[in-house]
Amino acid sequence: MNKVLTIIVLAGSLLTASSCNELSSHSADNGAPSYEPWQPSEEFKKHWYSGKAEVASFALQQSRYGDLHQGNAVMIFVAEDFSLSKQVKLDYPRGASNDKTSILKMNMVKKFTTGIYPYSMMLSVFTPVERGYQPHTLKTSTTIQEWCGHVFSQLNLREEAYELKEFSYFESEGDSQRKLPTDLLEDEVWSLIKLDPTLLPTGKHDIIPGAFNSRLRHNRIQAVRAEMSLSEADEKGIRTYSIFYPSRRTLAIAFDQNFPYTIMGWTETLPSGQQTIASRKTGKMIDYWTRNDPSDSYLRDELSLPN
């Protein structure tokens, strides 16, 4: 991964100056957000195309089985070159020509224990930077493992629809494949915050709820109408983006108002009133993929990661 990112930085292949047609979303009281031109700033390019990733750790209180369980979460954001046709990270971006696009990848990992057995959950989201040409996230993948078994789902943008594949050890969920409209994804909201909070839609829109919640609650993944709001900054400079679902579930994400829009934590409130809460511990920009020697383990302490 280090070699690939070195090539990216030297070649400047992640972003072209012709991205002036990129889009930002605004409020609209209909199914889909409306858009206006948007392009990343020089500050954005300098930060995200430096050959490093942002790694942040969070203290987690996860709601499950009617109780709260202590755990930890990690969020990783990194810019990569991505294949439009294969929808995977490019090994050789310099030779990819028109098949290449710049994406901001978000990985979220949650780990917690319920009684005797642990849960491990991971979500990956691949969101284009050039939103004028690709206004929709290209791919997401989600996996949840625990002692009973594991489930996996993947969403791929194929022409004018999302193709959803689901694999599960539950009989009622089984293995399935179907299509969904290209509505806003809850799982891409994290990346929109990091790109630019002006991209966040407000008002009432159709949205596909997050895969973690859908899988843990065994809800069918499908678009619903929800209301979104973005608060002004409080006295500490923190803004909150909230999604209010008709099921009475809400998601509120707190982030710093200044670039690079550090995510400070989030609260997910279920219809029962119980809440999952994540609070930021620390974070840093680091080329973590090169830090795989036993002598690098001290970095886990710096990042407040459990050993």
Side-chain angles (χ1 to χ4, degrees):
M1 188 171 184
N2 182 38
K3 293 180 180 179
V4 173
L5 278 177
T6 300
I7 291 173
I8 290 170
V9 173
L10 292 177
S13 60
L14 271 168
L15 185 70
T16 66
S18 62
S19 58
C20 60
N21 290 325
E22 299 187 39
L23 307 179
S24 67
S25 59
H26 288 262
S27 175
D29 190 18
N30 53 33
S34 58
Y35 297 95
E36 292 181 1
W38 176 86
Q39 71 180 56
S41 64
E42 290 301 319
E43 183 180 36
F44 179 97
K45 300 174 194 177
K46 182 178 180 181
H47 181 81
W48 289 111
Y49 302 147
S50 64
K52 294 182 179 180
E54 178 189 297
V55 180
S57 62
F58 298 81
L60 178 68
Q61 297 180 63
Q62 177 68 46
S63 172
R64 187 71 175 132
Y65 303 123
D67 292 302
L68 290 179
H69 307 276
Q70 302 301 311
N72 63 87
V74 177
M75 294 191 78
I76 301 167
F77 289 94
V78 61
E80 293 179 344
D81 277 327
F82 199 70
S83 168
L84 288 169
S85 60
K86 298 178 181 179
Q87 296 195 353
V88 293
K89 179 179 176 293
L90 284 165
D91 293 329
Y92 305 101
R94 297 182 70 177
S97 187
N98 293 333
D99 188 46
K100 175 179 61 182
T101 193
S102 307
I103 58 101
L104 187 64
K105 179 177 73 176
M106 189 279 287
N107 285 336
M108 178 188 287
V109 179
K110 288 184 175 184
K111 292 182 181 290
F112 59 95
T113 299
T114 59
I116 191 175
Y117 63 97
Y119 270 75
S120 180
M121 305 163 59
M122 183 169 180
L123 167 68
S124 295
V125 183
F126 305 84
T127 302
V129 172
E130 298 188 7
R131 296 185 61 77
Y133 303 104
Q134 292 112 16
H136 302 291
T137 286
L138 298 176
K139 176 182 177 179
T140 73
S141 61
T142 309
T143 181
I144 300 176
Q145 304 98 37
E146 37 95 0
W147 282 7
C148 293
H150 65 97
V151 296
F152 174 81
S153 63
Q154 184 163 298
L155 202 67
N156 292 87
L157 182 63
R158 304 294 188 194
E159 296 180 351
E160 301 301 320
Y162 280 120
E163 181 182 273
L164 173 64
K165 294 181 180 179
E166 298 176 281
F167 303 90
S168 173
Y169 64 90
F170 290 107
E171 179 183 6
S172 60
E173 296 172 355
D175 297 348
S176 65
Q177 180 174 333
R178 54 194 172 88
K179 290 186 177 182
L180 296 174
T182 54
D183 291 311
L184 176 71
L185 304 177
E186 177 186 310
D187 289 335
E188 71 182 324
V189 164
W190 313 92
S191 298
L192 297 184
I193 291 172
K194 299 300 287 183
L195 287 172
D196 187 337
T198 65
L199 296 169
L200 295 166
T202 58
K204 295 181 179 179
H205 302 284
D206 292 336
I207 184 172
I208 297 174
F212 277 169
N213 176 77
S214 296
R215 293 279 54 81
L216 288 178
R217 311 301 162 196
H218 303 288
N219 292 335
R220 179 178 173 83
I221 297 177
Q222 59 186 0
V224 298
R225 202 74 180 294
E227 186 165 357
M228 299 83 164
S229 68
L230 178 60
S231 75
E232 296 295 329
D234 64 14
E235 64 278 2
K236 296 181 180 179
I238 303 301
R239 305 184 74 181
T240 301
Y241 186 67
S242 301
I243 305 173
F244 305 90
Y245 287 96
S247 64
R248 294 187 295 115
R249 171 181 169 251
T250 64
L251 175 65
I253 305 171
F255 62 93
D256 190 280
Q257 66 174 336
N258 298 314
F259 184 87
Y261 312 115
T262 300
I263 292 175
M264 305 306 296
W266 62 91
T267 300
E268 179 186 20
T269 304
L270 301 178
S272 64
Q274 194 169 69
Q275 294 181 320
T276 289
I277 301 173
S279 302
R280 184 184 178 91
K281 293 190 286 186
T282 188
K284 68 188 305 179
M285 295 293 291
I286 186 172
D287 52 345
Y288 67 87
W289 49 90
T290 70
R291 308 306 181 97
N292 46 35
D293 190 87
S295 63
D296 293 320
S297 61
Y298 74 93
L299 291 166
R300 294 189 63 82
D301 293 330
E302 288 190 6
L303 286 165
S304 299
L305 299 172
N307 293 311

